[in-house]
Amino acid sequence: MSRIAYVNGQYVPHNEAAVHVEDRGYQFADGVYEVIPVVGNKLIGEVGHLDRLWRSMDELKMAEPMKRAPLKLVMREVLRRNGVENGLIYMQITRGVAPRDHPFPVDAMSSIVMTAKKTSPEKAAKKAEQGVSVITVPDIRWGRCDIKSVALLPNILAKQEAVENGAYEAFQVDADGFVTEGTSTNAWIVDQDGTLITRAASNSILSGITRADLLELLESNNIKVELRSFSVDELHTAREVFLTSSSSYVQPVVEVDGKVIGNGKPGSISNNLREIFMDYMNN
Ligand code: PDD
């Protein structure tokens, strides 16, 4: 089955899908995006992702390209046309096409593109069984990391540094020495007393939908969590570390900056939370 992309109202072959050279997303990174996981034909956290998409557009004073109901239909059509039962939807909305000039264009229409790709549940399960390593890097991003903007250069540079160091992810660290989040994931630790800690939502991090869904699951399972910033030292000496995102779900971390976490294997709390999250997605 050949891949199909959605571009401004048209379903087109993926390898021909294109936007105009003067699309403001291309020229200014003047756009927002969402990545939505699909498990067994179900869109996971759909309401949360669409709420966040609209919030991102509102914060950037960007016009919606279409209403929510037709957008939901397009997502399902893109999945159907690509035969994706397990995978990810990517959608990007920009301020549209206009002659290059910094102020908002007066009558440009927002652009929207959408793609879907398959992912392998088996591969993800294997990575979760083994755990991954992360490095820490300075957080050099702007002051509105709560907006899911396509302007991702600092994230890309940090992720590249991770890759060059044989790591899966880079956790970014603010000027006070506290971890903000990964380049495309939220960061969590379990301290030596067994307390679960993740940074509170603010302009310094993206309020992850996986993070929010997991927080709800924790509450319904009576598992306590501290919403506070944690230092690099706390990260290095944690009993367990894990990360969350739409593409990684709950992913145990077994090494940070070359230091082994716990016994170098995914910890029991991380494993338990991953199981709880997988149950939630599969049911
Ligand atoms: N990234 N923090 C950042 C900076 C992110 O880009 C993401 C998501 C997250 C986790 O959010 P969520 O649980 O809603 O996926 C945290 C997506 C997956 C990406 O850029 O591919």
Side-chain angles (χ1 to χ4, degrees), residues 118-197:
K118 294 176 186 171
T119 53
S120 148
E122 294 78 25
K123 241 186 183 169
K126 191 148 180 242
K127 205 182 306 152
E129 249 168 56
Q130 291 172 338
V132 294
S133 61
V134 306
I135 59 166
T136 56
V137 299
D139 193 336
I140 59 167
R141 297 175 301 163
W142 72 325
R144 292 303 307 273
C145 298
D146 57 311
I147 298 171
K148 200 158 173 59
S149 149
V150 295
L152 290 172
L153 261 185
N155 309 54
I156 286 167
L157 292 175
K159 181 81 175 197
Q160 181 61 20
E161 199 173 325
V163 169
E164 285 170 10
N165 283 281
Y168 174 73
E169 175 62 303
F171 282 175
Q172 300 165 99
V173 179
D174 67 19
D176 299 319
F178 292 98
V179 173
T180 51
E181 62 181 333
T183 64
S184 60
T185 60
N186 289 114
W188 301 65
I189 59 169
V190 178
D191 74 8
Q192 289 299 337
D193 299 326
T195 307
L196 204 50
I197 304 164

Coordinates of all heavy atoms in Angstrom, one line a residue, residues 118-197:
K118 N 3.4 3.7 10.2 CA 3.3 2.5 11.0 C 4.5 2.4 12.0 O 5.6 2.9 11.6 CB 3.3 1.2 10.1 CG 2.1 1.2 9.3 CD 2.1 -0.1 8.3 CE 0.9 0.0 7.4 NZ 0.9 -0.9 6.3
T119 N 4.2 1.9 13.2 CA 5.3 1.6 14.1 C 5.2 0.2 14.5 O 4.1 -0.4 14.4 CB 5.3 2.6 15.3 OG1 4.0 2.5 15.9 CG2 5.6 4.0 14.9
S120 N 6.3 -0.3 15.0 CA 6.2 -1.7 15.4 C 6.1 -1.9 16.9 O 7.0 -1.5 17.7 CB 7.5 -2.4 14.9 OG 7.9 -3.5 15.8
P121 N 5.0 -2.4 17.4 CA 4.8 -2.6 18.9 C 5.9 -3.5 19.4 O 6.4 -3.4 20.6 CB 3.4 -3.3 19.0 CG 2.7 -3.0 17.7 CD 3.8 -2.8 16.7
E122 N 6.4 -4.5 18.6 CA 7.4 -5.5 19.1 C 8.7 -4.7 19.3 O 9.4 -5.0 20.3 CB 7.6 -6.6 18.0 CG 6.5 -7.5 17.8 CD 5.4 -6.9 16.9 OE1 5.7 -6.0 16.1 OE2 4.2 -7.3 17.1
K123 N 9.1 -3.9 18.4 CA 10.3 -3.1 18.6 C 10.3 -2.2 19.8 O 11.3 -2.2 20.6 CB 10.5 -2.2 17.3 CG 11.8 -2.5 16.5 CD 11.8 -1.4 15.5 CE 13.0 -1.6 14.5 NZ 12.8 -0.6 13.4
A124 N 9.1 -1.6 20.0 CA 9.0 -0.7 21.2 C 9.1 -1.5 22.5 O 9.7 -1.1 23.5 CB 7.6 0.0 21.1
A125 N 8.5 -2.7 22.4 CA 8.5 -3.6 23.6 C 9.9 -4.0 24.0 O 10.3 -4.1 25.1 CB 7.6 -4.8 23.4
K126 N 10.7 -4.3 22.9 CA 12.1 -4.7 23.1 C 12.9 -3.6 23.8 O 13.7 -3.8 24.7 CB 12.7 -5.1 21.8 CG 14.0 -5.8 21.9 CD 14.2 -6.9 20.8 CE 15.6 -7.5 21.0 NZ 16.5 -7.3 19.8
K127 N 12.7 -2.4 23.2 CA 13.4 -1.2 23.8 C 13.1 -1.0 25.2 O 13.9 -0.6 26.1 CB 13.1 0.0 22.9 CG 14.2 1.0 23.0 CD 14.0 2.3 22.3 CE 13.6 2.2 20.8 NZ 12.8 3.3 20.4
A128 N 11.8 -1.2 25.5 CA 11.3 -1.0 26.9 C 11.9 -2.1 27.8 O 12.3 -1.8 29.0 CB 9.8 -1.1 27.0
E129 N 12.1 -3.3 27.3 CA 12.7 -4.4 28.1 C 14.1 -4.1 28.4 O 14.6 -4.4 29.5 CB 12.6 -5.7 27.3 CG 11.7 -6.7 27.8 CD 11.5 -7.8 26.8 OE1 12.5 -8.4 26.4 OE2 10.3 -8.0 26.3
Q130 N 14.8 -3.5 27.5 CA 16.3 -3.3 27.7 C 16.6 -2.0 28.4 O 17.6 -1.9 29.1 CB 17.0 -3.3 26.3 CG 17.0 -4.6 25.6 CD 17.5 -4.6 24.2 OE1 17.4 -3.5 23.6 NE2 17.9 -5.7 23.7
G131 N 15.7 -1.0 28.2 CA 16.0 0.4 28.7 C 16.9 1.1 27.8 O 17.5 0.5 26.9
V132 N 17.0 2.4 27.9 CA 17.8 3.3 27.0 C 18.7 4.2 27.9 O 18.5 4.3 29.1 CB 16.9 4.1 26.1 CG1 16.1 3.3 25.1 CG2 16.0 5.1 26.9
S133 N 19.6 4.8 27.2 CA 20.5 5.7 27.9 C 20.2 7.2 27.5 O 19.7 7.4 26.4 CB 22.0 5.4 27.6 OG 22.2 5.5 26.3
V134 N 20.4 8.1 28.4 CA 20.3 9.5 28.1 C 21.5 10.3 28.5 O 22.3 9.8 29.3 CB 19.0 10.2 28.7 CG1 17.7 9.4 28.4 CG2 19.2 10.3 30.2
I135 N 21.7 11.5 27.9 CA 22.7 12.4 28.3 C 22.0 13.7 28.8 O 20.8 13.8 28.5 CB 23.7 12.7 27.2 CG1 23.0 13.4 26.0 CG2 24.5 11.5 26.8 CD1 23.9 14.0 25.0
T136 N 22.7 14.6 29.5 CA 22.1 15.9 29.8 C 22.9 16.9 29.0 O 24.1 16.8 28.8 CB 22.2 16.1 31.3 OG1 23.6 16.1 31.7 CG2 21.4 15.2 32.1
V137 N 22.1 17.9 28.6 CA 22.6 19.1 27.9 C 22.0 20.4 28.4 O 20.9 20.3 28.9 CB 22.3 18.9 26.3 CG1 23.0 17.7 25.8 CG2 20.8 18.9 26.1
P138 N 22.6 21.5 28.2 CA 22.0 22.8 28.6 C 20.7 23.0 27.8 O 20.7 22.7 26.6 CB 23.1 23.8 28.3 CG 24.3 23.1 28.1 CD 24.0 21.7 27.7
D139 N 19.7 23.5 28.4 CA 18.5 23.9 27.7 C 18.6 25.3 27.2 O 18.7 26.3 27.9 CB 17.3 23.8 28.7 CG 15.9 23.9 28.0 OD1 15.9 24.4 26.8 OD2 14.9 23.4 28.5
I140 N 18.7 25.4 25.8 CA 19.0 26.7 25.2 C 17.7 27.2 24.5 O 17.8 28.1 23.6 CB 20.2 26.6 24.2 CG1 19.9 25.6 23.1 CG2 21.5 26.3 25.0 CD1 20.9 25.7 22.0
R141 N 16.5 26.6 24.8 CA 15.3 27.0 24.1 C 14.7 28.3 24.5 O 15.2 28.9 25.5 CB 14.3 25.9 24.3 CG 14.8 24.5 23.7 CD 13.8 23.4 23.9 NE 13.6 23.2 25.4 CZ 12.6 22.6 25.9 NH1 11.7 22.0 25.1 NH2 12.5 22.4 27.2
W142 N 13.7 28.7 23.9 CA 13.0 30.0 24.2 C 12.1 29.9 25.4 O 12.0 28.8 26.0 CB 12.2 30.5 23.0 CG 11.0 29.8 22.6 CD1 10.7 28.4 22.7 CD2 9.8 30.3 22.0 NE1 9.5 28.1 22.2 CE2 8.9 29.3 21.8 CE3 9.4 31.6 21.7 CZ2 7.6 29.5 21.2 CZ3 8.1 31.8 21.1 CH2 7.2 30.8 20.9
G143 N 11.4 30.9 25.8 CA 10.6 31.0 27.0 C 9.2 30.4 26.9 O 8.4 30.5 27.8
R144 N 8.8 29.8 25.7 CA 7.4 29.3 25.6 C 7.5 27.8 25.1 O 6.9 27.5 24.1 CB 6.6 30.2 24.6 CG 6.3 31.6 25.1 CD 5.6 31.6 26.4 NE 4.4 30.8 26.5 CZ 3.2 31.2 26.1 NH1 3.0 32.4 25.6 NH2 2.1 30.4 26.1
C145 N 8.2 27.0 25.9 CA 8.3 25.6 25.5 C 6.9 24.9 25.7 O 6.8 23.7 25.3 CB 9.4 24.9 26.3 SG 11.0 25.6 26.0
D146 N 5.9 25.5 26.3 CA 4.6 25.0 26.4 C 3.8 24.9 25.1 O 2.9 24.2 25.0 CB 3.8 25.8 27.5 CG 3.7 27.2 27.1 OD1 4.7 27.9 26.8 OD2 2.6 27.8 27.1
I147 N 4.3 25.7 24.1 CA 3.7 25.8 22.8 C 4.3 24.7 21.9 O 5.6 24.7 21.8 CB 3.8 27.2 22.2 CG1 3.1 28.2 23.0 CG2 3.3 27.2 20.7 CD1 3.3 29.6 22.6
K148 N 3.5 23.9 21.3 CA 4.2 22.8 20.4 C 4.5 23.3 19.1 O 3.8 23.1 18.1 CB 3.2 21.6 20.4 CG 4.0 20.3 20.0 CD 3.3 19.1 20.4 CE 3.9 17.8 19.9 NZ 5.3 17.6 20.3
S149 N 5.5 24.2 19.0 CA 5.9 24.9 17.8 C 6.8 24.0 17.0 O 7.6 23.1 17.6 CB 6.6 26.2 18.2 OG 7.6 26.5 17.3
V150 N 6.8 24.2 15.7 CA 7.7 23.4 14.8 C 9.2 24.0 14.9 O 10.1 23.4 14.2 CB 7.3 23.3 13.3 CG1 5.9 22.6 13.2 CG2 7.1 24.7 12.7
A151 N 9.4 25.0 15.6 CA 10.7 25.6 15.7 C 11.5 24.7 16.7 O 11.5 24.9 17.9 CB 10.7 27.0 16.2
L152 N 12.2 23.7 16.2 CA 12.8 22.7 17.0 C 14.3 22.6 17.0 O 14.9 21.6 17.3 CB 12.2 21.3 16.6 CG 10.7 21.1 17.0 CD1 10.2 19.8 16.4 CD2 10.5 21.1 18.5
L153 N 15.0 23.7 16.5 CA 16.4 23.6 16.3 C 17.2 23.2 17.6 O 18.1 22.3 17.5 CB 17.0 24.9 15.8 CG 17.3 24.9 14.3 CD1 17.9 26.3 13.9 CD2 18.2 23.8 13.9
P154 N 16.9 23.8 18.7 CA 17.6 23.4 19.9 C 17.4 21.9 20.3 O 18.4 21.2 20.7 CB 17.1 24.3 21.1 CG 16.5 25.4 20.3 CD 16.0 24.9 19.0
N155 N 16.2 21.5 20.0 CA 15.8 20.1 20.3 C 16.6 19.1 19.4 O 17.2 18.1 19.8 CB 14.4 19.8 20.1 CG 13.5 20.8 20.9 OD1 13.6 22.0 20.7 ND2 12.6 20.3 21.7
I156 N 16.7 19.6 18.1 CA 17.4 18.8 17.1 C 18.9 18.7 17.4 O 19.6 17.6 17.4 CB 17.2 19.4 15.7 CG1 15.8 19.1 15.3 CG2 18.2 18.8 14.7 CD1 15.4 19.9 14.1
L157 N 19.5 19.8 17.8 CA 20.9 19.8 18.2 C 21.2 18.9 19.4 O 22.2 18.2 19.4 CB 21.4 21.3 18.5 CG 21.4 22.2 17.3 CD1 21.8 23.6 17.7 CD2 22.4 21.8 16.2
A158 N 20.3 19.0 20.4 CA 20.5 18.2 21.6 C 20.3 16.7 21.2 O 21.1 15.9 21.7 CB 19.5 18.6 22.6
K159 N 19.4 16.4 20.4 CA 19.1 15.0 20.1 C 20.3 14.4 19.3 O 20.8 13.3 19.5 CB 17.8 14.8 19.2 CG 17.5 13.5 18.8 CD 16.8 12.7 19.9 CE 16.4 11.3 19.5 NZ 15.4 10.7 20.3
Q160 N 20.9 15.3 18.4 CA 22.0 14.9 17.6 C 23.2 14.6 18.5 O 23.9 13.6 18.3 CB 22.4 15.9 16.6 CG 23.6 15.6 15.7 CD 23.4 14.4 14.8 OE1 22.2 13.9 14.6 NE2 24.5 13.7 14.4
E161 N 23.4 15.4 19.5 CA 24.4 15.2 20.5 C 24.2 13.8 21.2 O 25.2 13.1 21.5 CB 24.5 16.3 21.5 CG 25.8 16.4 22.3 CD 25.9 17.7 23.1 OE1 25.3 18.7 22.8 OE2 26.5 17.6 24.2
A162 N 22.9 13.5 21.5 CA 22.6 12.2 22.2 C 23.1 11.1 21.2 O 23.8 10.2 21.6 CB 21.2 12.2 22.5
V163 N 22.7 11.2 20.0 CA 23.0 10.1 19.0 C 24.5 10.0 18.9 O 25.0 8.8 18.9 CB 22.3 10.5 17.6 CG1 22.9 9.6 16.5 CG2 20.8 10.4 17.7
E164 N 25.2 11.1 18.8 CA 26.7 11.0 18.7 C 27.3 10.4 19.9 O 28.5 10.0 19.9 CB 27.2 12.4 18.4 CG 26.9 12.8 16.9 CD 27.3 14.2 16.6 OE1 27.9 14.9 17.4 OE2 26.9 14.7 15.5
N165 N 26.6 10.5 21.0 CA 27.1 9.8 22.3 C 26.5 8.5 22.5 O 26.6 8.0 23.6 CB 26.9 10.8 23.5 CG 27.9 11.9 23.5 OD1 29.0 11.8 23.9 ND2 27.4 13.1 23.0
G166 N 25.9 7.9 21.5 CA 25.3 6.6 21.6 C 24.1 6.5 22.5 O 23.7 5.5 23.0
A167 N 23.5 7.7 22.8 CA 22.3 7.7 23.7 C 21.0 7.9 22.9 O 21.0 8.3 21.7 CB 22.4 8.9 24.7
Y168 N 19.9 7.5 23.5 CA 18.6 7.6 22.9 C 18.0 9.0 23.0 O 17.3 9.4 22.1 CB 17.7 6.6 23.6 CG 16.3 6.6 23.2 CD1 15.9 6.1 22.0 CD2 15.3 7.1 24.0 CE1 14.6 6.1 21.6 CE2 13.9 7.1 23.6 CZ 13.6 6.6 22.4 OH 12.3 6.6 22.0
E169 N 18.3 9.7 24.1 CA 17.6 11.0 24.3 C 18.5 11.9 25.1 O 19.5 11.4 25.7 CB 16.3 10.7 25.1 CG 15.5 12.0 25.5 CD 15.0 12.9 24.4 OE1 15.8 13.3 23.6 OE2 13.8 13.1 24.3
A170 N 18.3 13.2 25.0 CA 19.0 14.2 25.8 C 18.0 14.9 26.7 O 17.0 15.4 26.2 CB 19.7 15.2 24.9
F171 N 18.3 14.9 28.0 CA 17.5 15.6 28.9 C 18.1 17.0 29.0 O 19.3 17.2 29.3 CB 17.5 15.0 30.3 CG 16.6 13.8 30.4 CD1 16.5 13.1 31.6 CD2 15.7 13.4 29.4 CE1 15.7 12.0 31.8 CE2 14.9 12.3 29.5 CZ 14.9 11.6 30.7
Q172 N 17.3 18.1 28.8 CA 17.7 19.4 28.8 C 17.7 20.0 30.3 O 16.8 19.6 31.1 CB 16.9 20.3 27.9 CG 17.0 19.7 26.5 CD 15.9 20.2 25.5 OE1 16.1 21.1 24.8 NE2 14.7 19.6 25.6
V173 N 18.7 20.8 30.6 CA 18.9 21.3 32.0 C 18.8 22.8 32.0 O 19.6 23.5 31.2 CB 20.2 20.8 32.5 CG1 20.5 21.3 33.9 CG2 20.3 19.3 32.5
D174 N 18.0 23.4 32.9 CA 17.9 24.9 32.9 C 19.1 25.5 33.6 O 20.0 24.9 34.1 CB 16.5 25.3 33.5 CG 16.4 25.0 35.0 OD1 17.4 24.8 35.6 OD2 15.3 24.9 35.5
A175 N 19.0 26.9 33.6 CA 20.2 27.6 34.1 C 20.4 27.4 35.6 O 21.6 27.6 36.1 CB 20.0 29.1 33.8
D176 N 19.4 26.9 36.3 CA 19.6 26.6 37.7 C 20.0 25.2 38.0 O 20.0 24.7 39.2 CB 18.3 26.9 38.5 CG 17.9 28.4 38.3 OD1 18.8 29.2 38.4 OD2 16.7 28.6 38.1
G177 N 20.2 24.4 37.0 CA 20.7 23.0 37.1 C 19.6 22.0 37.3 O 19.8 20.9 37.7
F178 N 18.3 22.4 36.9 CA 17.2 21.5 37.0 C 16.8 21.0 35.6 O 16.8 21.7 34.7 CB 16.0 22.2 37.7 CG 16.2 22.5 39.1 CD1 16.6 23.7 39.5 CD2 16.1 21.5 40.1 CE1 16.8 24.0 40.9 CE2 16.3 21.7 41.4 CZ 16.7 23.0 41.8
V179 N 16.4 19.7 35.6 CA 16.0 19.1 34.3 C 14.7 19.7 33.9 O 13.8 19.8 34.7 CB 15.9 17.5 34.5 CG1 15.3 16.9 33.3 CG2 17.3 16.9 34.9
T180 N 14.6 20.1 32.6 CA 13.3 20.5 32.1 C 12.6 19.3 31.5 O 11.7 18.8 32.1 CB 13.5 21.7 31.1 OG1 14.4 21.3 30.1 CG2 13.9 23.0 31.8
E181 N 13.1 18.8 30.4 CA 12.5 17.7 29.7 C 13.5 17.2 28.6 O 14.5 17.8 28.4 CB 11.2 18.1 29.1 CG 11.3 19.2 28.0 CD 10.0 19.6 27.4 OE1 9.1 18.9 27.4 OE2 10.0 20.8 26.9
G182 N 13.1 16.1 28.0 CA 13.9 15.6 26.9 C 13.6 16.4 25.6 O 12.9 17.4 25.6
T183 N 14.3 16.0 24.5 CA 14.1 16.8 23.3 C 12.7 16.6 22.6 O 12.2 17.4 21.9 CB 15.2 16.4 22.2 OG1 15.0 15.1 21.8 CG2 16.6 16.6 22.8
S184 N 12.2 15.4 22.9 CA 10.8 15.1 22.4 C 10.1 14.2 23.5 O 9.2 13.4 23.1 CB 10.8 14.5 21.1 OG 11.5 13.2 21.1
T185 N 10.5 14.3 24.7 CA 9.9 13.5 25.8 C 9.9 14.2 27.1 O 10.6 15.2 27.3 CB 10.8 12.2 26.0 OG1 12.1 12.6 26.4 CG2 10.9 11.3 24.8
N186 N 9.0 13.8 28.0 CA 9.1 14.3 29.4 C 9.9 13.4 30.3 O 9.9 12.2 30.1 CB 7.6 14.5 29.9 CG 6.9 15.6 29.3 OD1 5.9 15.4 28.6 ND2 7.4 16.8 29.5
A187 N 10.5 14.0 31.3 CA 11.5 13.2 32.1 C 10.9 13.0 33.5 O 10.2 13.9 34.1 CB 12.8 14.1 32.3
W188 N 11.1 11.8 34.0 CA 10.6 11.4 35.3 C 11.8 10.7 36.1 O 12.6 10.0 35.5 CB 9.5 10.4 35.2 CG 8.3 10.8 34.4 CD1 8.2 11.1 33.1 CD2 6.9 10.9 34.9 NE1 6.9 11.3 32.7 CE2 6.1 11.2 33.8 CE3 6.4 10.7 36.2 CZ2 4.7 11.4 34.0 CZ3 5.0 10.9 36.3 CH2 4.2 11.2 35.2
I189 N 11.7 10.8 37.4 CA 12.6 10.0 38.3 C 11.8 9.3 39.4 O 10.7 9.8 39.8 CB 13.8 10.8 38.9 CG1 13.3 11.9 39.7 CG2 14.7 11.2 37.8 CD1 14.5 12.6 40.6
V190 N 12.4 8.3 40.0 CA 12.0 7.7 41.2 C 13.2 7.8 42.2 O 14.2 7.3 41.8 CB 11.6 6.2 41.1 CG1 11.2 5.6 42.4 CG2 10.5 6.0 40.0
D191 N 13.0 8.6 43.3 CA 14.1 8.8 44.2 C 14.4 7.5 45.0 O 13.7 6.5 44.9 CB 14.0 10.1 45.0 CG 13.0 10.0 46.1 OD1 12.5 8.8 46.4 OD2 12.7 11.0 46.7
Q192 N 15.4 7.6 45.9 CA 15.8 6.4 46.6 C 14.8 6.0 47.7 O 14.7 4.9 48.1 CB 17.2 6.7 47.4 CG 18.4 6.7 46.4 CD 18.6 5.4 45.6 OE1 18.1 4.3 46.1 NE2 19.2 5.5 44.5
D193 N 13.8 6.9 48.0 CA 12.7 6.6 48.9 C 11.5 6.0 48.1 O 10.5 5.8 48.7 CB 12.2 7.8 49.7 CG 13.4 8.4 50.6 OD1 14.2 7.5 51.1 OD2 13.4 9.6 50.7
G194 N 11.6 5.9 46.8 CA 10.5 5.4 46.0 C 9.5 6.5 45.6 O 8.5 6.1 45.1
T195 N 9.9 7.8 45.8 CA 8.9 8.8 45.4 C 9.1 9.1 43.9 O 10.2 9.3 43.4 CB 9.2 10.1 46.2 OG1 9.2 9.8 47.6 CG2 8.2 11.2 45.9
L196 N 7.9 9.2 43.3 CA 7.9 9.5 41.8 C 7.9 11.0 41.7 O 7.1 11.7 42.3 CB 6.6 8.9 41.3 CG 6.4 8.6 39.9 CD1 7.5 7.7 39.3 CD2 5.0 7.9 39.8
I197 N 8.8 11.5 40.8 CA 8.9 13.0 40.6 C 8.9 13.3 39.1 O 9.7 12.7 38.3 CB 10.2 13.5 41.3 CG1 10.2 13.1 42.8 CG2 10.3 15.0 41.1 CD1 11.6 13.2 43.4

